[in-house]
Amino acid sequence: MNLISNSEPIFVVQKHATLHLHYDFRLAIDGVLKSWAIPKGPCLDSKIKRLAVEVEDHPLEYASFEGIIPKGQYGAGSVIVWDYGHWSSIKNLPFNLSKGHLSFNLQGKKLQGSWNLIRIQKIRDKPQWLLIKINDEFSRPLTEYDILIDKPESVLTS
Ligand code: MN
């Protein structure tokens, strides 16, 4: 499947079952997939902050990758496309990678509405950010609903 669109930039969330299960959150910016590894995954609760460790850029083509990364290779384990769709910046809110503050809307199959990614620490090559849902009609308290449990599957193959 070709997830690359000519109009709006895409985002993808790949669920990566490796030694430590995590969710790779990727935004297409300037022709690459800017990438963050989120150990606990995205959360719809606006009161919950999820650690997102900035990792290396990936090529746009990687957005549709699902499969097995063989033993011995970096990231060995299985990858599914947990969510994908388009993102857009939000009028009057910051979107600045170098300043470490990104506010954006997601139009995914699972993730919707407004989000913040805010850098909290610049540690060598792995800056730490927080992914936080902005309170809107798509936010939900984690005590009532956990999208990671309710919708664990791939959006491509199910
Ligand atoms: Mn990963």
Side-chain angles (χ1 to χ4, degrees):
M1 179 184 271
N2 180 18
L3 304 183
I4 298 163
S5 134
N6 299 320
S7 47
E8 288 181 291
I10 60 144
F11 82 95
V12 64
V13 183
Q14 281 154 318
K15 186 176 174 181
H16 189 177
T18 176
L19 189 56
H20 301 284
L21 176 76
H22 60 273
Y23 294 75
D24 290 303
F25 181 80
R26 310 188 198 277
L27 294 174
I29 299 173
D30 298 334
V32 295
L33 294 172
K34 291 285 168 191
S35 300
W36 293 261
I38 306 179
K40 291 187 169 178
C43 182
L44 302 187
D45 191 329
S46 59
K47 293 190 174 69
I48 299 218
K49 304 170 172 72
R50 288 283 159 91
L51 176 68
V53 180
E54 188 177 338
V55 293
E56 65 280 5
D57 298 346
H58 278 57
L60 287 178
E61 293 71 29
Y62 193 74
S64 56
F65 175 76
E66 282 200 344
I68 306 290
I69 302 172
K71 268 188 185 166
Q73 283 191 25
Y74 178 73
S78 69
V79 175
I80 62 165
V81 175
W82 182 78
D83 195 20
Y84 79 91
H86 295 102
W87 71 269
S88 55
S89 54
I90 303 173
K91 209 179 172 188
N92 300 326
L93 288 184
F95 193 90
N96 193 316
L97 261 180
S98 59
K99 286 187 177 165
H101 192 156
L102 309 180
S103 300
F104 49 86
N105 280 308
L106 296 179
Q107 293 169 267
K109 305 260 186 199
K110 295 175 183 171
L111 301 181
Q112 303 265 318
S114 307
W115 299 76
N116 273 320
L117 249 179
I118 295 167
R119 193 172 59 219
I120 50 169
Q121 242 178 332
K122 249 183 166 171
I123 302 175
R124 282 167 285 133
D125 57 336
K126 289 198 168 177
Q128 320 260 298
W129 299 61
L130 295 173
L131 178 68
I132 311 160
K133 182 79 195 72
I134 294 174
N135 192 24
D136 62 15
E137 70 263 43
F138 299 106
S139 44
R140 293 176 73 173
L142 184 59
T143 49
E144 285 171 21
Y145 181 74
D146 186 344
I147 194 168
L148 302 180
I149 290 170
D150 187 51
K151 296 181 171 169
E153 72 285 352
S154 163
V155 290
L156 295 188
T157 54
S158 55

